[in-house]
Amino acid sequence: MAPKSREPFDAKIGGLSHDGRGVTRVDGKVWFVEGALPGEKVIVKPIRGKRSYSLGITETILDPSASRVEPRCAAFGVCGGCALQHLEYPNQLAFKKGSVIETFGAAGVQVPQDILQLQAEPWAYRRRARLGARLVPKKGGVLVGFRERNKSFITPLTHCPVIHPSVDPVLARMPQLIGQLSIPDQVPQIEVAAGENGTALVFRHLSPLTESDLSLLKQFAVQEGLLIYTQSKGPETVIPLDVSATPELFYTLKAFDLKISFSVTQFVQVNSAINELLVETAVDWLAPNEKDGVLDLFCGLGNFSLALARRAGQVLGVEGDESLVRKAEENASANGINNARFQARDLFSDSVLDWDPGHYSQVLVDPPRSGALDVLKNISSRLNPDRIAYVSCNPATLARDAAYLTGSGGYRLTKLAVADMFPHTAHIESAALFERSA
Ligand SMILES: C[S@@+](CC[C@H](N)C(=O)[O-])C[C@H]1O[C@@H](n2cnc3c(N)ncnc32)[C@H](O)[C@@H]1O
């Protein structure tokens, strides 16, 4: 039935959008419907109309999909953390694979017949998170949780089934802790970083903490078995409450006998099990030996570079954040690796087009969401490596860059993997191997 102004209307859902909303078409107009699954008949409540599409939410499910499941989280539907908990897990995997295939198809790139799917435990996986906090007296005090979907409000969470198990039980106790501080309205965010040797919470505060605040935080740290840091301004102001009893966090890459240390605010891949699989896959695809030089672009703290260095002759890791470059160097030396070098460079500046890093037969790129088109244009024409492994958190830019590499770049796409780094969300991590055409 066609929607009249903002009246609810019923619709049959055709597919899922890249952000996990049901898609339907009514009178030629596309509707994205929150909470609806493919095949379902639902009553849609219109929220907003744009020129080329409209947004609605599911008011009633008239005919549910066989793939619909009860979400584990009570905040599902409101919390912006997860978008797919109502979809059976195997169907989430199928949706992500299908979405990657469709994105490559739209970019005109043929995908390999076999697509690898990397999956691990889909619950309690999130080792990095940024929680919001806000004092809302009319809601009973301080709220702590992720932001609501498409809104800046905080979803109060007392339990989160996807966050690291060391943090989940603490969620319910954080509002009271912040509420007891002298500045309960001046703590907007708590960052979470879980390593294999401990879990850290970084409390961002906009006004100074008093001595009694610090002792409350210390007490909480002891009681909950957590490492607590405070942050008054930028990342350089992050300090541990107890300098003498705060070890640096680390994770391991067991297949490579690596222990990788990181500072609490530094980038690490969100899901440790999937990260291990992804690193193993990329190294397996590139299969470097001691004669090969490998260039690892957007290398962070050496996650892929150090694993590659265990097999390759030489590795050069390049990264824009100088603190990560220093950390990568420290990690190399702590792991007894002396064939990996690291360089700080802005890989998005114009000068990258003139950059000549030397000879490397293999390249790994793991860029941010915007992809790496210019870098790849330069690298493929200047270095002409035999193999390029591309790890991506955005299938759209991966497919765009793949279109270049498999077109004028002169490469074949030989492997494709979809890694479920972020189960129950609509985020898709994927990886591809490009080999120089004969
Ligand atoms: C998806 S992360 C990958 C990090 C690393 N490969 C890993 O697995 O941990 C992307 C990295 O790109 C870096 N980056 C972002 N913009 C950059 C730029 N303009 N130049 C160089 N590196 C940049 C970020 O600092 C971040 O470390």
Side-chain angles (χ1 to χ4, degrees):
M1 202 177 81
K4 285 196 191 96
S5 66
R6 295 176 76 84
E7 289 291 297
F9 62 96
D10 52 289
K12 179 97 176 163
I13 304 299
L16 266 188
S17 66
H18 66 92
D19 59 355
R21 295 181 222 231
V23 184
T24 187
R25 197 176 271 275
V26 182
D27 289 345
K29 183 153 197 180
V30 175
W31 283 78
F32 295 110
V33 185
E34 230 166 87
L37 292 174
E40 290 188 327
K41 195 166 172 203
V42 299
I43 298 181
V44 180
K45 183 172 172 218
I47 313 178
R48 224 174 307 142
K50 305 252 180 190
R51 201 186 313 189
S52 54
Y53 65 90
S54 290
L55 300 175
I57 54 171
T58 303
E59 194 175 73
T60 311
I61 303 163
L62 300 172
D63 189 5
S65 157
S67 313
R68 178 173 282 278
V69 289
E70 193 55 40
R72 253 193 214 193
C73 180
F76 180 74
V78 179
C79 177
C82 291
L84 295 175
Q85 272 189 36
H86 57 327
L87 179 61
E88 221 175 24
Y89 189 59
N91 290 65
Q92 292 185 25
L93 296 173
F95 157 65
K96 291 184 182 185
K97 181 174 166 181
S99 181
V100 169
I101 294 173
E102 197 181 299
T103 310
F104 272 70
V109 181
Q110 173 115 34
V111 297
Q113 184 111 40
D114 292 322
I115 298 178
L116 187 64
Q117 285 215 268
L118 304 177
Q119 61 183 95
E121 168 55 48
W123 300 104
Y125 64 86
R126 232 179 129 154
R127 66 176 168 185
R128 288 288 274 121
R130 182 171 288 171
L131 297 164
R134 193 168 296 163
L135 176 65
V136 188
K138 64 176 186 239
K139 294 225 166 164
V142 174
L143 312 180
V144 173
F146 292 113
R147 306 217 173 265
E148 285 187 8
R149 273 190 204 177
N150 317 315
K151 296 199 184 118
S152 67
F153 302 129
I154 305 281
T155 318
L157 291 179
T158 51
H159 173 55
C160 170
V162 298
I163 209 157
H164 194 274
S166 60
V167 182
D168 185 37
V170 183
L171 283 173
R173 296 194 273 278
M174 269 198 273
Q176 198 195 355
L177 167 71
I178 298 172
Q180 286 171 339
L181 301 177
S182 65
I183 48 162
D185 56 344
Q186 298 288 301
V187 180
Q189 164 189 307
I190 305 117
E191 278 204 63
V192 173
E196 289 175 30
N197 55 335
T199 293
L201 298 182
V202 184
F203 286 80
R204 173 83 174 95
H205 57 98
L206 305 175
S207 307
L209 293 159
T210 62
E211 280 305 315
S212 110
D213 292 337
L214 294 173
S215 80
L216 275 171
L217 289 169
K218 273 186 190 150
Q219 233 175 301
F220 190 76
V222 172
Q223 203 176 301
E224 305 293 345
L226 296 166
L227 306 166
I228 290 192
Y229 292 70
T230 58
Q231 179 181 358
S232 57
K233 288 198 173 76
E236 69 292 349
T237 64
V238 171
I239 42 170
L241 271 184
D242 186 348
V243 184
S244 61
T246 307
E248 192 160 47
L249 297 179
F250 70 82
Y251 64 89
T252 53
L253 293 176
K254 290 167 223 40
F256 302 95
D257 191 22
L258 287 170
K259 180 171 158 184
I260 300 192
S261 299
F262 61 99
S263 304
V264 285
T265 52
Q266 282 178 330
F267 177 91
V268 290
Q269 305 278 0
V270 159
N271 182 325
S272 60
I274 292 293
N275 181 51
E276 292 206 53
L277 293 173
L278 204 51
V279 173
E280 285 169 36
T281 302
V283 174
D284 187 41
W285 283 355
L286 288 173
N289 62 37
E290 61 284 359
K291 293 203 205 76
D292 291 310
V294 189
L295 183 61
D296 178 12
L297 302 178
F298 308 95
C299 70
L301 41 58
N303 186 41
F304 290 95
S305 337
L306 298 174
L308 288 161
R310 290 280 196 225
R311 310 269 191 275
Q314 294 294 325
V315 175
L316 172 64
V318 182
E319 161 61 46
D321 177 334
E322 297 210 15
S323 80
L324 285 171
V325 171
R326 281 196 300 278
K327 191 57 73 185
E329 287 167 345
E330 282 168 33
N331 277 321
S333 129
N335 284 284
I337 288 176
N338 52 23
N339 59 340
R341 289 183 300 124
F342 296 92
Q343 214 180 78
R345 178 176 293 276
D346 179 357
L347 289 165
F348 291 144
S349 82
D350 292 343
S351 65
V352 85
L353 296 172
D354 304 319
W355 177 50
D356 186 352
H359 177 71
Y360 292 91
S361 54
Q362 306 187 347
V363 174
L364 185 141
V365 290
D366 181 14
R369 291 187 64 76
S370 52
L373 189 55
D374 285 341
V375 145
L376 286 168
K377 282 185 177 167
N378 183 34
I379 293 300
S380 61
S381 60
R382 218 177 258 268
L383 265 68
N384 201 18
D386 298 333
R387 292 174 174 205
I388 300 175
Y390 191 141
V391 178
S392 158
C393 57
N394 183 356
T397 51
L398 172 60
R400 177 202 66 194
D401 297 354
Y404 160 72
L405 285 172
T406 55
S408 51
Y411 286 82
R412 288 176 303 125
L413 169 61
T414 55
K415 307 259 190 212
L416 187 58
V418 182
D420 204 16
M421 181 76 84
F422 317 95
H424 310 293
T425 77
H427 294 294
I428 303 178
E429 183 86 7
S430 45
L433 179 70
F434 300 90
E435 296 186 67
R436 196 170 54 188
S437 301

